[in-house]
């Protein structure tokens, strides 16, 4: 099926001129420095806003499995790195990484796992509509703050597949205590942890693991100075207590971002785990 590029697309899924959430508005082809991988910037609809993100697709037989990468940070901090999604696409997946609302020319304003969580929810709908992507649930990898986004999707979206939490925040109240440098931002965007405690709890997966409906893989470096490994252990303990399916791989001595060789080794483990969950799900459908 030919894939349109550098164009505004028909407003499919619209009613009365209002485009439905998850509708693809524009696909722009970008220069890719990764051999065998095509790169696009997509614009799609989330709560009536135009939101943007990168799509990396291996130049192979179509369709391929889809995956959503949930970036960490906020605004310019932690913005999606092309090299990161190229590494994932090389493993045979069409990888979409939303920038979240208000970034890179997108509309709205991100709020650290509040309303902007819908940008991931509707990215699942978007991915399931793309001609490059196989049908079925869409796995997610959430890095750092992106873990909240991925697990919120696992809690709230039927189309979410297995979730990988990598160096992930699982308790935002703990993050407030651990990261003095983030307190001003958190109070401005989320609220005061005592006065708006419920806003922190809504963004803390350890508070609602009972509602997570998919398998979870936890990846964390034991020397992570940005998100303590105790957050990984806390999430694992909560999942264990709730009787949820999960696995945890801790990488001794590694920090928040892994060196290249260790990163590739961890990615091999992550994609092996995702493939095993996909195969099991496909086996149940037969």
């Amino acid at each position: 099926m030919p894939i349109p590029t550098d164009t505004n697309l028909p407003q499919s899924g619209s009613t009365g001129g209002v485009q439905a959430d998850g509708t693809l508005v524009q696909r722009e082809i970008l220069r890719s420095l990764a051999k065998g991988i095509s790169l696009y910037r997509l614009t799609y609809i989330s709560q009536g806003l135009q939101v943007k993100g990168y799509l990396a697709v291996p130049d192979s037989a179509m369709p391929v499995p889809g995956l959503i990468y949930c970036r960490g940070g906020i605004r310019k901090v932690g913005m999606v790195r092309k090299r990161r999604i190229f590494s994932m696409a090389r493993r045979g997946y069409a990888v979409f990484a939303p920038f979240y609302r208000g970034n890179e020319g997108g509309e709205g304003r991100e709020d650290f796992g509040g309303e902007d969580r819908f940008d991931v929810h509707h990215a699942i709908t978007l991915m399931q509509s793309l001609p490059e992507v196989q049908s079925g649930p869409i796995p997610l990898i959430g890095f750092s703050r992106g873990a909240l986004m991925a697990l919120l999707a696992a809690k709230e979206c039927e189309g979410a597949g297995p979730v990988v939490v990598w160096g992930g925040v699982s308790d935002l109240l703990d993050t407030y205590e651990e990261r003095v440098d983030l307190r001003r931002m958190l109070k401005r965007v989320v609220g005061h942890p005592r006065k708006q405690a419920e806003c922190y709890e809504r963004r803390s997966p350890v508070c609602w693991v009972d509602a997570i409906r998919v398998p979870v893989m936890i990846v964390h470096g034991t020397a992570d100075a940005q998100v303590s490994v105790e957050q990984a252990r806390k999430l694992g303990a909560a999942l264990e207590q709730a009787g949820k399916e999960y696995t945890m791989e801790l990488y001794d001595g590694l920090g928040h971002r892994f060196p290249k060789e260790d990163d590739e080794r961890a990615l091999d483990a992550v994609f092996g785990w995702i493939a095993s969950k996909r195969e099991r799900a496909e086996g149940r459908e037969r």
Side-chain angles (χ1 to χ4, degrees), residues 23 82 118 159 176 246 265 273:
T23 297
K82 295 174 186 177
F118 291 107
Y176 184 89
Y246 81 100
R265 177 165 57 96
W273 179 82

Side-chain angles (χ1 to χ4, degrees), residues 123-138:
I124 293 174
T125 303
L126 169 71
M127 287 293 279
Q128 292 174 327
S129 75
L130 296 180
E132 302 99 321
V133 178
Q134 292 177 1
S135 61
I138 305 295

Side-chain angles (χ1 to χ4, degrees), residues 196-211:
Q196 285 86 31
E198 71 283 355
C199 295
Y200 283 77
E201 291 167 3
R202 285 201 299 268
R203 292 165 169 84
S204 298
V206 294
C207 296
W208 35 260
V209 290
D210 285 340

Side-chain angles (χ1 to χ4, degrees), residues 69-87:
Y69 175 67
C70 300
R71 54 160 285 210
I74 186 169
R75 302 189 184 112
K76 292 294 184 182
V77 177
M79 184 48 71
V80 179
R81 294 178 297 151
K82 295 174 186 177
R83 182 178 66 80
R84 188 65 174 151
I85 60 173
F86 288 154
S87 294

Side-chain angles (χ1 to χ4, degrees), residues 89-107:
R90 286 192 188 97
R91 289 164 166 84
Y93 285 72
V95 181
F96 182 62
F99 301 150
Y100 310 143
R101 60 189 58 188
N103 290 306
E104 301 294 307
E107 297 174 338

Side-chain angles (χ1 to χ4, degrees), residues 3-207:
I3 299 169
T5 58
D6 293 301
T7 184
N8 288 309
L9 299 174
Q11 297 186 6
S12 60
S14 64
T15 303
V18 177
Q19 292 171 276
D21 289 326
T23 297
L24 177 61
V25 176
Q26 187 177 44
R27 177 196 291 259
E28 305 166 75
I29 190 165
L30 303 176
R31 183 185 177 198
S32 173
L33 299 178
K35 185 177 180 180
I37 298 173
S38 296
L39 180 66
Y40 306 91
R41 182 187 292 112
L42 303 187
T43 304
Y44 67 106
I45 299 297
S46 175
Q47 291 189 306
L49 302 171
Q50 292 196 10
V51 179
K52 299 176 183 290
Y54 286 139
L55 175 70
V57 183
D59 298 336
S60 58
M62 299 290 177
V64 295
L67 181 137
I68 291 174
Y69 175 67
C70 300
R71 54 160 285 210
I74 186 169
R75 302 189 184 112
K76 292 294 184 182
V77 177
M79 184 48 71
V80 179
R81 294 178 297 151
K82 295 174 186 177
R83 182 178 66 80
R84 188 65 174 151
I85 60 173
F86 288 154
S87 294
M88 298 177 182
R90 286 192 188 97
R91 289 164 166 84
Y93 285 72
V95 181
F96 182 62
F99 301 150
Y100 310 143
R101 60 189 58 188
N103 290 306
E104 301 294 307
E107 297 174 338
R109 189 176 182 86
E110 65 175 315
D111 57 356
F112 218 76
E115 292 293 294
D116 60 359
R117 73 188 189 279
F118 291 107
D119 302 346
V120 177
H121 294 19
H122 301 315
I124 293 174
T125 303
L126 169 71
M127 287 293 279
Q128 292 174 327
S129 75
L130 296 180
E132 302 99 321
V133 178
Q134 292 177 1
S135 61
I138 305 295
L140 301 102
I141 298 177
F143 177 71
S144 195
R145 164 272 177 108
L148 307 183
M149 309 295 276
L151 287 171
L152 281 163
K155 173 189 174 198
E156 299 173 352
C157 297
E158 291 290 342
V163 169
V164 177
V165 172
W166 191 317
V169 173
S170 65
D171 189 328
L172 197 57
L173 286 166
D174 284 356
T175 297
Y176 184 89
E177 294 300 323
E178 294 168 1
R179 295 289 302 275
V180 175
D181 58 317
L182 296 181
R183 288 181 182 176
R184 179 178 295 180
M185 180 277 292
L186 288 170
K187 283 190 285 190
R188 183 182 71 251
V189 176
V190 180
H192 194 283
R194 286 192 295 274
K195 296 176 183 177
Q196 285 86 31
E198 71 283 355
C199 295
Y200 283 77
E201 291 167 3
R202 285 201 299 268
R203 292 165 169 84
S204 298
V206 294
C207 296

Side-chain angles (χ1 to χ4, degrees), residues 207-221:
C207 296
W208 35 260
V209 290
D210 285 340
I212 296 173
R213 299 176 291 185
V214 300
V216 176
M217 181 181 193
I218 302 168
V219 176
H220 216 108

